[in-house]
Amino acid sequence: MPRSLCLNYHIKQCLGPCAGKVRDPEYGEVVSEVKMFLEGRKTELLKALTEKMVIASRKEDFEKAAELRGRIEALSAIGRISSTTNHPGRSTN
């Protein structure tokens, strides 16, 4: 019996690896990117995503390029938010 897909897959928040909806190399790339993010390698990750976006654009794969642009913008926004957040014990003067 096929495994049913979760809501996250249907709202495009999950690639569906548990149901075989994504190839191993593609999923491995996503895992590597998440690992880079969690390790604090944001600059390196932004560079890699930008390179992928340029390649997709040159191949006229504009949907993929737009998806990557959105990820780049989201990652950049996280940096802006975290740099303006007050931390406990830190002076705001």
Side-chain angles (χ1 to χ4, degrees):
M1 175 187 245
R3 187 175 183 157
S4 64
L5 294 167
C6 64
L7 176 61
N8 285 333
Y9 174 81
H10 292 290
I11 61 172
K12 301 192 183 294
Q13 297 298 311
C14 175
L15 297 174
C18 62
K21 295 291 185 181
V22 64
R23 296 184 338 253
D24 285 344
E26 182 183 354
Y27 188 67
E29 278 185 45
V30 171
V31 170
S32 293
E33 291 170 2
V34 170
K35 185 177 174 186
M36 288 171 70
F37 175 77
L38 294 174
E39 291 172 344
R41 297 165 41 203
K42 182 182 145 193
T43 303
E44 186 180 344
L45 179 55
L46 283 169
K47 182 179 177 185
L49 292 173
T50 301
E51 288 173 4
K52 288 179 184 182
M53 181 182 69
V54 169
I55 290 168
S57 181
R58 286 184 183 150
K59 290 180 178 180
E60 297 184 4
D61 187 353
F62 301 119
E63 188 172 306
K64 180 70 173 176
E67 174 205 329
L68 289 162
R69 183 190 64 222
R71 290 170 60 193
I72 291 166
E73 289 171 352
L75 186 57
S76 296
I78 290 171
R80 287 191 300 273
I81 292 168
S82 67
S83 67
T84 60
T85 302
N86 291 330
H87 299 282
R90 189 184 216 177
S91 174
T92 57
N93 296 332

